[in-house]
Amino acid sequence: LVQIITTPAQSEAVRAYQDACRSKSDLERTDLAKDKSGVPTGAFAINPVNGERLPIWIADYVLTGYGTGAIMAVPAHDTRDHEFAMKFNLPVRQVVQPQNDEPWQGYTGNGTAVHSDFLNGLSTIDAKREMNQWLATNGKGKGTVQYKLRDWLFSRQRYWGEPFPIIWENGEHKAISESELPLTPPQMADFKPTGTPEPPLSKALEWLRYSESALRETNTMPQWAGSCWYYLRYCDPQNSERFISREAERYWMGADSKNPGGVDLYIGGTEHAVLHLLYARFWHKVLFDLGHLSTPEPFQKLVNQGIILGEDGQKMSKSRGNVVNPDEVIGEFGADAFRCYEMFMGPLEQMKPWSTSGVEGVSRFLARVWRLVMEENQAGEWVKSAALADIPLEKSQMKVVHATIKKVTEDIESLSFNTAISQMMIFVNAFTGATQRPISAIQVLLQLLNPLAPHITEELWQRIGSPGTVADQAWPEWDADALIEDELELVVQINGKVRDKLIVKREASKDEVEAAALSSHRAQEWTAGKTIRKVIVVPGKLIN
C-alpha cells in the first residue's frame, strides 16, 4: 500500500532530480566514491507487518534494472543506506546485533535479530526464513531470489580492442576456423571514429572483405577481454602455442597441500570491486571447465584500496580542478616521499583526501633517515656520519630494533603500511639522539624501509659499505626475548580506588611488591592511622 501526500514543490523537485539522473550511466550512479543524493517524494509505503508508514525517497544509486527497482532501505545494516541516512538525517534503527563487539551502525554481517518483535533472538538466516514464512502464511507475499547478473554488452565501436573472429554471410554470422586464429586488427592510418554508427574497422575495406559473399565483424571486444585473464598470460608471456602452458599454470597457479592455488593477493580499485571480479571469475571458470586450468578460482584474496580524493575532499576530476599531478610531486619531493606518503595517509581500504603538507612531513622523515647515516663536512659534502660505529646494541636499542622488526613485518603482511611507517618513525627518533649508532641497527632500518622507499635506502646501503643491495638481503627476524620488559608498572589501589602507580622488577615476588607499595609516599598518605586488613596482589597488573 502507498499513501501519497505530495505538495507541488515536492513534485517539481522529483521531476528535476529525475532529469538530472537521466544523463548518468549505471556505473556513475553506483560509484562507491560518489556523494549520495536523493529527494523525498512525499509518499509513504505501509509496512505490511506492523502498519508503520515508511517515507519514500528517490535516489540515483538504486537501479531500476535490478529487482523491482525499489528497495527497503536498512540504514543500520547497509553501508550505502547508512551513508544516505546520515546525509539526510533519517532514522537509523538497529535490527541486527553483531556477533562480536563490532559497532552495529553500518554492520552488514550476520548476527542476532533485535528490536524485531517475534524475530528477536533468531540468527539472521533463521530470521529471514521465519519472516518469509510469516508473509506467506498471512497472504502478504512470498520469498524470491534476485540475481544481479545481467546481459554483458561485449562489443565496442572503436579500433583499439580485439577483433571478433566472426564473419557475416547472407545475414547470418559464424566463427572463422581455428587455423585462422589469432585474428589481428589491420594496420590503419586513420582509426578514428567515423562519426556514424559504423565502427572504425569498417574503413579497412581490404581486411573487411573476407570473401566475395562474406564480411568480417567490425565491432571490437572491450578492455575486459584482456584484463579478465591477463594474470594467466603474465605466467607465460612468450608462449606462441598456448595462452599459458600447462607446466607454467601448475607452477604459478596450481594448488598443493599448502596452497589452494590461484593468485595469492589481488589489489584493485573500488570500481573493480564488483564487475572486474565478476568477469575475471567468469572467464577463469570457463577456462577451468574447458580443462585449460587446474583451479576453479582465480584469486585467493581480494583487497580494494580506497580512492585518494582531492585536497577539497572531492573525487579528483579535471572539471573540479583538484587533480594532483604525480610528476609535479615527484619533481618537488622525490619518488620515495611520494610513495611513502601514499602509504602513510591511512588504512589502505579507506578513501582519504590528498594533502601536500602531508607529503612535506614524510619528506622531512626521510631527511632524518638520511641524517642518521650521513653528515655534512666543512666543504658542504655529504659523508658517512662519525656517529656510526661497528658496536653491539645496547639493551634499550635492542628492544627498539626488534619491536620495529616485529611491527613492520606484521603490518606489511596485513597491508597496514601506515602504522609500519609510524613504527619506523619511532625507530628514527630513538636513534637520532644516540652519540654512537650501531651500523647493524641502521642496516635493519634500511631493510625494513626499502619496500616503501627503495631509492634512498639503496643509496644509504652503499654509502655505509654494506654488501650487495638491500633488496637482495634476507628479511630481518625479531627475537621475542628482546621484547620482554624488565620492569612493570603496577597500579596501587586503596579500597578499590587508584591512588598511585609503581615501577617494579618483572621477577619481583608478592612480598617485594607489597613492601614497595606500602613504602610509597602516596600509599602512606592514604593509610596513615588506619589498619590494613587485606592485601591483594594481581601479578603484573595491580596491588589492592
Side-chain angles (χ1 to χ4, degrees):
L1 296 175
V2 176
Q3 195 173 44
I4 302 177
I5 312 171
T6 305
T7 66
Q10 285 175 318
S11 298
E12 181 58 35
V14 168
R15 282 192 292 271
Y17 186 76
Q18 289 172 326
D19 291 340
C21 294
R22 284 193 181 96
S23 62
K24 298 179 183 178
S25 68
D26 283 2
L27 189 61
E28 290 173 317
R29 289 173 56 183
T30 56
D31 185 351
L32 296 178
K34 182 183 70 65
D35 187 33
K36 295 293 181 290
S37 65
V39 293
T41 64
F44 294 85
I46 307 302
N47 188 325
V49 179
N50 59 15
E52 184 178 354
R53 294 199 318 170
L54 302 172
I56 298 177
W57 289 60
I58 61 171
D60 64 355
Y61 74 91
V62 181
L63 301 180
T64 58
Y66 173 53
T68 63
I71 65 166
M72 168 68 177
V74 186
H77 308 292
D78 181 278
T79 52
R80 296 178 306 167
D81 293 346
H82 184 262
E83 185 180 343
F84 187 87
M86 290 294 97
K87 179 171 181 177
F88 294 104
N89 296 317
L90 299 176
V92 178
R93 295 185 183 179
Q94 180 188 12
V95 293
V96 176
Q97 178 63 38
Q99 296 169 330
N100 304 313
D101 295 328
E102 299 178 62
W104 59 266
Q105 291 215 21
Y107 178 74
T108 59
N110 290 333
T112 304
V114 294
H115 309 137
S116 302
D117 199 76
F118 62 91
L119 301 176
N120 285 340
L122 295 177
S123 68
T124 299
I125 295 174
D126 289 341
K128 290 178 181 178
R129 187 181 299 113
E130 183 72 19
M131 190 69 255
N132 282 336
Q133 184 175 345
W134 186 93
L135 289 168
T137 302
N138 290 274
K140 304 289 187 179
K142 62 180 181 179
T144 61
V145 177
Q146 296 286 350
Y147 294 97
K148 291 184 179 180
L149 289 173
R150 295 177 295 171
D151 288 341
W152 187 0
L153 183 59
F154 202 69
S155 60
R156 299 292 186 270
Q157 291 72 50
R158 58 190 179 209
Y159 172 79
W160 298 108
E162 296 86 342
F164 286 101
I166 298 294
I167 60 171
W168 291 86
E169 190 170 21
N170 298 324
E172 296 183 356
H173 66 275
K174 64 179 181 179
I176 62 177
S177 65
E178 194 169 324
S179 62
E180 297 177 81
L181 299 177
L183 176 62
T184 57
Q187 295 290 330
M188 297 178 66
D190 176 17
F191 46 76
K192 295 179 181 178
T194 62
T196 70
E198 291 298 321
L201 285 180
S202 64
K203 294 185 286 186
L205 299 179
E206 185 176 342
W207 177 88
L208 177 63
R209 185 160 294 282
Y210 180 80
S211 68
E212 287 297 323
S213 58
L215 298 176
R216 295 187 188 276
E217 171 60 56
T218 54
N219 284 316
T220 55
M221 300 184 201
Q223 72 275 16
W224 304 107
S227 67
C228 282
W229 63 278
Y230 69 89
Y231 57 92
L232 296 170
R233 187 59 177 171
Y234 281 174
C235 301
D236 199 5
Q238 305 303 322
N239 193 330
S240 59
E241 301 299 321
R242 284 176 55 89
F243 70 104
I244 182 174
S245 70
R246 297 190 183 280
E247 294 74 23
E249 192 273 332
R250 281 194 294 270
Y251 178 82
W252 290 106
M253 301 285 293
D256 55 37
S257 58
K258 299 179 180 179
N259 192 324
V263 175
D264 296 304
L265 174 63
Y266 167 28
I267 300 180
T270 52
E271 290 90 348
H272 285 188
V274 177
L275 290 183
H276 189 270
L277 177 62
L278 177 68
Y279 295 155
R281 291 186 70 216
F282 172 85
W283 213 266
H284 191 99
K285 287 177 177 294
V286 168
L287 292 170
F288 173 75
D289 289 345
L290 292 174
H292 299 306
L293 301 178
S294 61
T295 57
E297 289 288 349
F299 314 118
Q300 289 185 36
K301 183 178 181 181
L302 170 67
V303 174
N304 295 307
Q305 80 260 14
I307 294 173
I308 296 180
L309 307 172
E311 293 203 67
D312 56 0
Q314 301 293 316
K315 190 174 180 181
M316 291 189 193
S317 70
K318 292 180 181 177
S319 61
R320 289 194 182 101
N322 63 350
V323 174
V324 175
N325 186 336
D327 292 339
E328 294 176 4
V329 178
I330 292 172
E332 184 173 357
F333 299 104
D336 282 340
F338 184 42
R339 289 164 60 104
C340 285
Y341 172 64
E342 286 200 305
M343 297 297 99
F344 189 60
M345 291 176 73
L348 182 67
E349 297 89 349
Q350 290 183 5
M351 289 189 294
K352 18 214 196 247
W354 178 267
S355 170
T356 301
S357 62
V359 190
E360 294 172 357
V362 172
S363 180
R364 287 194 296 270
F365 160 66
L366 293 178
R368 295 184 67 200
V369 173
W370 178 267
R371 290 192 295 272
L372 270 184
V373 180
M374 308 298 294
E375 63 184 19
E376 280 189 277
N377 61 18
Q378 292 181 339
E381 301 169 326
W382 286 104
V383 296
K384 188 167 76 170
S385 173
L388 291 181
D390 190 10
I391 55 175
L393 292 166
E394 297 176 2
K395 195 165 187 179
S396 60
Q397 293 175 333
M398 182 82 74
K399 180 183 174 184
V400 172
V401 168
H402 287 277
T404 303
I405 295 173
K406 183 176 187 293
K407 178 69 173 167
V408 173
T409 301
E410 292 174 346
D411 284 352
I412 287 180
E413 287 287 341
S414 64
L415 305 180
S416 303
F417 304 113
N418 56 322
T419 50
I421 294 174
S422 295
Q423 179 62 37
M424 285 186 275
M425 289 178 172
I426 294 172
F427 183 110
V428 171
N429 289 340
F431 280 87
T432 295
T435 54
Q436 284 193 305
R437 299 167 196 149
I439 289 180
S440 60
I442 301 302
Q443 287 175 321
V444 168
L445 173 64
L446 297 179
Q447 288 174 271
L448 298 176
L449 184 57
N450 181 256
L452 305 177
H455 306 91
I456 189 174
T457 51
E458 292 288 1
E459 177 72 17
L460 292 175
W461 186 264
Q462 299 300 321
R463 297 261 189 157
I464 61 178
S466 300
T469 66
V470 186
D472 288 331
Q473 307 307 308
W475 189 257
E477 296 183 3
W478 74 86
D479 181 358
D481 292 337
L483 301 178
I484 297 175
E485 296 279 0
D486 292 332
E487 295 181 325
L488 298 173
E489 182 181 70
L490 299 185
V491 170
V492 179
Q493 294 181 340
I494 297 176
N495 287 342
K497 295 183 179 181
V498 176
R499 301 302 185 189
D500 202 359
K501 292 183 180 179
L502 196 66
I503 302 296
V504 299
K505 294 288 185 182
R506 171 177 285 277
E507 64 273 11
S509 66
K510 285 188 176 183
D511 290 341
E512 290 172 328
V513 170
E514 182 177 341
L518 290 173
S519 64
S520 76
H521 177 68
R522 292 280 293 161
Q524 289 179 355
E525 282 184 355
W526 284 95
T527 58
K530 300 175 182 177
T531 301
I532 298 175
R533 300 186 180 278
K534 188 175 184 180
V535 176
I536 300 173
V537 177
V538 180
K541 292 185 177 181
L542 61 84
I543 176 170
N544 189 9

